[in-house]
Amino acid sequence: MTKRPTRPRPVIVDWSAISPFGIGREAFLAGMSSGGATDCVPAEDGAIPRTRARMAGQFETRTALGRKGTRSMDRLTALTVATAGQLVERCADLTGSPGQDGGAPADVLPGRALVLGTTTGSAQSMMDFTRSSLTGDRPYHVDPARFPNTVMNCAAGQAAIWHRLKGPNVTVGGGRAAGLLALNYARRLQATGRASSVLCGAAEEYSPARAWLQHHTGDAGGADSVLGEGCAMLRVEPSEQAPDSAFADVLALEFGVFDGVNQVAAVLRQCLHTALGNADVTPAELWRVATSGAPGALGSGEHAALDALLADSAADRVSCADFLGDTAAVAAAFQVVSVLAMAETEPADAPRTALITSVDRDGVAGCAVLSLRPTPSGGYGPSTPPIAATTQQ
C-alpha cells in the first residue's frame, strides 16, 4: 500500500452540541455519563408513522435566539445558529470584540469559515412551501420570508450572517456521513490556505415530513427505531495554531462508495485499512470505536468490516444511536463529540486513538482516525463520572 504524502492535520480545539441530552457541551457530557438512553417524547402531530422521537426538547427557537429575526426561521436553521453561537461566545479570537449590548460582535476577523453537513436541509420547510403554493388561491400566494428555508444551504448561511463569519460558507450533503465529509472539507480549506479557523459540524431536525420520508423510503430501521435530532459543531484550527489545550488531532479521513448493501463491508474495510495506514495506527492501538448505528443490512455490513479489523483489538464500540436515536445527517458529528466527551471525562496521561465509522444508504462509507490529546486530571469540563462504553459484536 502506498502511503499518501503527509498533509497538514487539523486540530479540534473546541466543540459544542444541542442534542436530546440538552443544550450545550455540559449537557452532552452529563447525558453521555448517565450511560442510558434519552427519554422518548411524543410527537405533536399524531398523524405520522412514528409517534416517538428523541428531540432536543429543551430547545425553543425564540428562547435561545430571541424574537428578532426568528419569525420565519425553521428548526434546522435555529439549531445550527444556536450551536454555532455557543462556540462563537467562547472564542474571542474568532469573533473580535463583543458588541456593546453583549450580542453580535462589532468587528469580526475575516477568513473564518463555516462548513455544515446535512442531508437535504429542512424537508419540512420544503414541503410546507410547496404545499402553500398548491393550496393557495394563486401559486404565487406564498410567504416570501419562508422561501430561504427551502434551499439546502439556508442553515449555514444564516449561521454565518448571525455570527458574522466572513470566510467560506459551505454546505455538504452526505446523509449519516455528512459530519465526516464536512470535517474533510474543513481540512481541505485549511490545506489550501482558504481558511484558518473553521466551524465545522452537522445538523438534523425532527419533523413529520422527515418521519414520512424515512417511512416511505424504507429506511425505517425496524418498528422500535426512534428518530433523533440536534446539531454538533467543532472548532477546527491548523496544527500550528492549535493551543496546548486542544482536544484531538485529525490523523486521517477516508471515504468510499458502494453500489448495494452487499458491498458495504468490503468498501468500509478498504477505507479502514487506508485510514489506519495513513495515520500510522494499528488496530491494537485503538481506544474507542464509534459506529454510525445504521439500521438493517447497512449496520450489519459496518460491523462485519469492524469485526474483521478488530479481531485482536480491545477497543470498545459505542453507538450514539443507542443514546440519541437515528439522528441521520448529524450522526457522524455526534460520534465525534461522543469520543471527545469520553476522553474528557476519563483523564489520561498519554494520547489515545479513536476510530469513527459511518455508512449511509446513498452509498457513502467513511471513517476518521482521531488522536485524543492527554486529558489532565479533572478534564476540561465539569466533574463527571466516566462514560460507560457499550461493546457491540
Side-chain angles (χ1 to χ4, degrees), residues 279-326:
D280 283 330
V281 172
T282 65
E285 296 177 274
L286 294 174
W287 172 65
R288 289 282 193 276
V289 177
T291 63
S292 66
L298 281 175
S300 299
E302 183 178 18
H303 283 288
L306 288 170
D307 290 341
L309 179 75
L310 304 177
D312 299 323
S313 173
D316 293 316
R317 297 187 205 177
V318 180
S319 171
C320 289
D322 295 341
F323 299 96
L324 303 171
D326 181 358

Side-chain angles (χ1 to χ4, degrees), residues 38-44 51-57 206 226:
T38 52
D39 293 333
C40 300
V41 297
E44 295 180 359
T51 57
R52 297 189 306 163
R54 289 176 185 160
M55 304 178 65
Y206 172 82
V226 179

Side-chain angles (χ1 to χ4, degrees), residues 10 15 30 53-54 92 94 104 117 131 134 158 170 227 234-235 260 264 277 280 305 307 318 325 331 334 377 381:
W15 64 274
R54 289 176 185 160
L94 184 70
R131 184 182 299 107
L134 296 173
Q158 284 292 324
V170 182
L227 299 183
L234 313 170
R235 182 187 176 186
V264 171
D280 283 330
D307 290 341
V318 180
F334 275 151
S377 179

Side-chain angles (χ1 to χ4, degrees), residues 49-69:
R50 303 182 190 195
T51 57
R52 297 189 306 163
R54 289 176 185 160
M55 304 178 65
Q58 300 175 0
F59 180 79
E60 200 279 324
T61 298
R62 291 194 169 183
T63 301
L65 302 174
R67 299 176 65 86
K68 185 178 181 181

Side-chain angles (χ1 to χ4, degrees), residues 17-31:
I18 296 177
S19 71
F21 288 142
I23 299 173
R25 188 161 66 92
E26 287 71 22
F28 196 90
L29 286 164

Side-chain angles (χ1 to χ4, degrees), residues 195-387:
S196 53
S197 295
V198 181
L199 296 188
C200 166
E204 185 64 85
E205 68 175 5
Y206 172 82
S207 67
R210 180 182 159 218
W212 276 114
L213 282 173
Q214 294 210 220
H215 174 73
H216 286 300
T217 54
D219 194 26
D224 296 332
S225 176
V226 179
L227 299 183
E229 67 167 4
C231 179
M233 196 76 69
L234 313 170
R235 182 187 176 186
V236 180
E237 295 280 353
S239 55
E240 63 272 17
Q241 298 179 16
D244 294 338
S245 59
F247 288 92
D249 298 75
V250 182
L251 300 183
L253 286 157
E254 197 65 32
F255 299 92
V257 294
F258 55 85
D259 182 19
V261 293
N262 60 324
Q263 299 178 3
V264 171
V267 172
L268 181 59
R269 189 180 305 120
Q270 182 60 47
C271 292
L272 295 172
H273 282 291
T274 303
L276 292 175
N278 289 334
D280 283 330
V281 172
T282 65
E285 296 177 274
L286 294 174
W287 172 65
R288 289 282 193 276
V289 177
T291 63
S292 66
L298 281 175
S300 299
E302 183 178 18
H303 283 288
L306 288 170
D307 290 341
L309 179 75
L310 304 177
D312 299 323
S313 173
D316 293 316
R317 297 187 205 177
V318 180
S319 171
C320 289
D322 295 341
F323 299 96
L324 303 171
D326 181 358
T327 53
V330 73
F334 275 151
Q335 292 169 246
V336 173
V337 299
S338 294
V339 296
L340 297 179
M342 292 177 183
E344 192 169 337
T345 55
E346 298 180 45
D349 296 328
R352 292 168 290 186
T353 307
L355 176 65
I356 314 295
T357 63
S358 184
V359 293
D360 184 73
R361 64 177 180 176
D362 287 336
V364 179
C367 64
V369 183
L370 306 181
S371 176
L372 305 163
R373 295 193 174 186
T375 308
S377 179
Y380 297 95
S383 177
T384 50
I387 296 169

